[in-house]
Amino acid sequence: MKAVKAFFVTSAPSIKEAPPESLSEVAFLGRSNVGKSSLLNSLVERKNLAKSSATPGKTRLINFFDIEYKSDEDIFPLMFVDLPGFGYAKASKSLKNEWQKNLTQFVKNRASIRVYILLRDARHPKLKIDEDAKEFIKTIRKPDQKLIEVFTKVDKLKQKELSKLKRDFPDAILVSNTKKRGIEELKKEIIKTVFGKEV
Ligand SMILES: Nc1nc2c(ncn2[C@@H]2O[C@H](COP(=O)(O)OP(=O)(O)O)[C@@H](O)[C@H]2O)c(=O)[nH]1
Ligand SMILES: [Mg+2]
């Protein structure tokens, strides 16, 4: 399935400045540098729609992208929301608190979010900060909001580690942005979750 439309809408520092809630939103959440922007680009087959960077902690804004997928029979309009990374150690404390507050506010109060995509680094699958984020989403989400857990950078794993990860997290989707693995599976899961359709 292909994205027939994918364009940047706007950046917002907080929920107050966010665009009006209109489309079903897919929010990408995860530690800084985990591969959020890269995954967003993979999902729409664009190289640099969401700015990916090797410098952790650069994205401090909430970025909105208007997306449209098309299958043989249907069109699926969505808003992808690239959220600032959490837990970036090098940011100053006040800046960190400010981001964290904005991020928390947004995630809690944005009713148009249909799916939270929580990204985790496949090489560090048991980090407390990720477990905490998962618990947090589970606590605040409404009945019509789903959590999809994704492990990124699986290209860095050996076969044995990959098998273990699958055993430990049977519901998670394993992706590689460099090798384009798991991308179609994730697209399908998003469409199924938001629109209730198998594509
Ligand atoms: N090997 C590998 N590197 C990745 C993958 N996804 C992202 N990266 C790299 O990880 C770094 C951070 O990616 P980015 O998408 O900017 O992360 P973000 O901060 O979460 O938005 C960049 O250097 C990417 O090229 C992946 O699946 N495999
Ligand atoms: Mg990013």
Side-chain angles (χ1 to χ4, degrees), residues 16 18 23 29 44 65 103-104 106 114 129 141 186:
K16 280 205 303 286
L23 298 163
L29 202 67
V44 296
F65 301 91
L103 186 59
T104 311
F106 185 84
R114 294 278 80 80
I129 189 163
R141 75 174 159 172
L186 180 56

mmCIF file of all heavy atoms in Angstrom, residues 16 18 23 29 44 65 103-104 106 114 129 141 186:
data_model
loop_
_atom_site.group_PDB
_atom_site.id
_atom_site.type_symbol
_atom_site.label_atom_id
_atom_site.label_comp_id
_atom_site.label_asym_id
_atom_site.label_seq_id
_atom_site.Cartn_x
_atom_site.Cartn_y
_atom_site.Cartn_z
ATOM 1 N N LYS A 16 -1.412 23.952 22.659
ATOM 2 C CA LYS A 16 -2.151 25.206 22.426
ATOM 3 C C LYS A 16 -1.998 25.684 20.991
ATOM 4 O O LYS A 16 -2.921 26.213 20.402
ATOM 5 C CB LYS A 16 -1.627 26.313 23.360
ATOM 6 C CG LYS A 16 -2.171 26.241 24.770
ATOM 7 C CD LYS A 16 -2.157 27.610 25.463
ATOM 8 C CE LYS A 16 -0.776 28.249 25.530
ATOM 9 N NZ LYS A 16 0.112 27.634 26.524
ATOM 10 N N ALA A 18 -1.235 23.757 18.427
ATOM 11 C CA ALA A 18 -1.438 22.657 17.480
ATOM 12 C C ALA A 18 -2.604 22.968 16.546
ATOM 13 O O ALA A 18 -3.518 23.706 16.916
ATOM 14 C CB ALA A 18 -1.706 21.367 18.244
ATOM 15 N N LEU A 23 -8.370 15.195 11.419
ATOM 16 C CA LEU A 23 -8.148 13.821 10.972
ATOM 17 C C LEU A 23 -7.821 12.898 12.149
ATOM 18 O O LEU A 23 -7.490 13.350 13.236
ATOM 19 C CB LEU A 23 -6.970 13.792 10.001
ATOM 20 C CG LEU A 23 -7.152 14.593 8.710
ATOM 21 C CD1 LEU A 23 -5.808 14.836 8.041
ATOM 22 C CD2 LEU A 23 -8.092 13.846 7.774
ATOM 23 N N LEU A 29 6.038 8.188 19.216
ATOM 24 C CA LEU A 29 6.570 8.506 20.531
ATOM 25 C C LEU A 29 7.773 7.629 20.823
ATOM 26 O O LEU A 29 7.754 6.438 20.554
ATOM 27 C CB LEU A 29 5.455 8.155 21.517
ATOM 28 C CG LEU A 29 5.397 8.770 22.872
ATOM 29 C CD1 LEU A 29 5.097 10.251 22.733
ATOM 30 C CD2 LEU A 29 4.268 8.119 23.672
ATOM 31 N N VAL A 44 5.899 6.502 4.506
ATOM 32 C CA VAL A 44 5.333 7.231 3.356
ATOM 33 C C VAL A 44 6.276 7.231 2.156
ATOM 34 O O VAL A 44 6.033 7.918 1.159
ATOM 35 C CB VAL A 44 4.941 8.681 3.732
ATOM 36 C CG1 VAL A 44 3.834 8.663 4.769
ATOM 37 C CG2 VAL A 44 6.124 9.490 4.229
ATOM 38 N N PHE A 65 1.928 15.985 9.886
ATOM 39 C CA PHE A 65 1.995 15.625 8.470
ATOM 40 C C PHE A 65 0.650 15.072 8.003
ATOM 41 O O PHE A 65 0.099 14.159 8.617
ATOM 42 C CB PHE A 65 3.074 14.566 8.240
ATOM 43 C CG PHE A 65 4.433 15.012 8.668
ATOM 44 C CD1 PHE A 65 4.891 14.761 9.954
ATOM 45 C CD2 PHE A 65 5.258 15.706 7.802
ATOM 46 C CE1 PHE A 65 6.142 15.188 10.374
ATOM 47 C CE2 PHE A 65 6.517 16.144 8.203
ATOM 48 C CZ PHE A 65 6.957 15.883 9.491
ATOM 49 N N LEU A 103 4.923 17.695 26.030
ATOM 50 C CA LEU A 103 4.690 16.373 25.480
ATOM 51 C C LEU A 103 3.570 15.656 26.237
ATOM 52 O O LEU A 103 2.635 15.118 25.644
ATOM 53 C CB LEU A 103 5.996 15.574 25.575
ATOM 54 C CG LEU A 103 6.050 14.209 24.934
ATOM 55 C CD1 LEU A 103 5.767 14.325 23.443
ATOM 56 C CD2 LEU A 103 7.439 13.599 25.120
ATOM 57 N N THR A 104 3.658 15.694 27.558
ATOM 58 C CA THR A 104 2.664 15.041 28.400
ATOM 59 C C THR A 104 1.278 15.638 28.175
ATOM 60 O O THR A 104 0.294 14.918 28.002
ATOM 61 C CB THR A 104 3.051 15.196 29.886
ATOM 62 O OG1 THR A 104 4.415 14.836 30.020
ATOM 63 C CG2 THR A 104 2.210 14.312 30.767
ATOM 64 N N PHE A 106 0.186 17.177 25.579
ATOM 65 C CA PHE A 106 -0.306 16.847 24.250
ATOM 66 C C PHE A 106 -0.870 15.437 24.219
ATOM 67 O O PHE A 106 -2.001 15.203 23.793
ATOM 68 C CB PHE A 106 0.807 16.985 23.212
ATOM 69 C CG PHE A 106 0.326 16.764 21.805
ATOM 70 C CD1 PHE A 106 -0.250 17.799 21.096
ATOM 71 C CD2 PHE A 106 0.411 15.514 21.208
ATOM 72 C CE1 PHE A 106 -0.722 17.598 19.811
ATOM 73 C CE2 PHE A 106 -0.062 15.303 19.929
ATOM 74 C CZ PHE A 106 -0.629 16.345 19.222
ATOM 75 N N ARG A 114 -5.632 8.401 17.533
ATOM 76 C CA ARG A 114 -6.226 7.057 17.464
ATOM 77 C C ARG A 114 -5.202 5.993 17.813
ATOM 78 O O ARG A 114 -5.529 4.944 18.346
ATOM 79 C CB ARG A 114 -6.771 6.759 16.055
ATOM 80 C CG ARG A 114 -7.954 7.594 15.604
ATOM 81 C CD ARG A 114 -9.277 7.051 16.159
ATOM 82 N NE ARG A 114 -9.465 7.477 17.539
ATOM 83 C CZ ARG A 114 -9.902 8.683 17.912
ATOM 84 N NH1 ARG A 114 -10.244 9.559 17.019
ATOM 85 N NH2 ARG A 114 -10.008 9.006 19.178
ATOM 86 N N ILE A 129 12.948 3.643 31.131
ATOM 87 C CA ILE A 129 12.253 4.831 30.602
ATOM 88 C C ILE A 129 11.194 4.427 29.556
ATOM 89 O O ILE A 129 10.114 5.019 29.486
ATOM 90 C CB ILE A 129 13.267 5.859 30.033
ATOM 91 C CG1 ILE A 129 12.547 7.161 29.690
ATOM 92 C CG2 ILE A 129 14.048 5.329 28.853
ATOM 93 C CD1 ILE A 129 13.452 8.350 29.506
ATOM 94 N N ARG A 141 -4.613 6.494 28.106
ATOM 95 C CA ARG A 141 -5.341 6.339 26.842
ATOM 96 C C ARG A 141 -6.825 6.076 27.072
ATOM 97 O O ARG A 141 -7.233 5.476 28.053
ATOM 98 C CB ARG A 141 -4.727 5.242 25.987
ATOM 99 C CG ARG A 141 -5.040 3.872 26.484
ATOM 100 C CD ARG A 141 -4.544 2.816 25.558
ATOM 101 N NE ARG A 141 -4.436 1.584 26.322
ATOM 102 C CZ ARG A 141 -4.171 0.417 25.795
ATOM 103 N NH1 ARG A 141 -3.954 0.304 24.514
ATOM 104 N NH2 ARG A 141 -4.120 -0.647 26.554
ATOM 105 N N LEU A 186 3.483 -2.692 9.586
ATOM 106 C CA LEU A 186 3.058 -1.585 10.442
ATOM 107 C C LEU A 186 1.971 -0.744 9.770
ATOM 108 O O LEU A 186 0.990 -0.358 10.408
ATOM 109 C CB LEU A 186 4.267 -0.719 10.827
ATOM 110 C CG LEU A 186 3.977 0.482 11.734
ATOM 111 C CD1 LEU A 186 3.271 0.072 13.029
ATOM 112 C CD2 LEU A 186 5.264 1.239 12.062
#
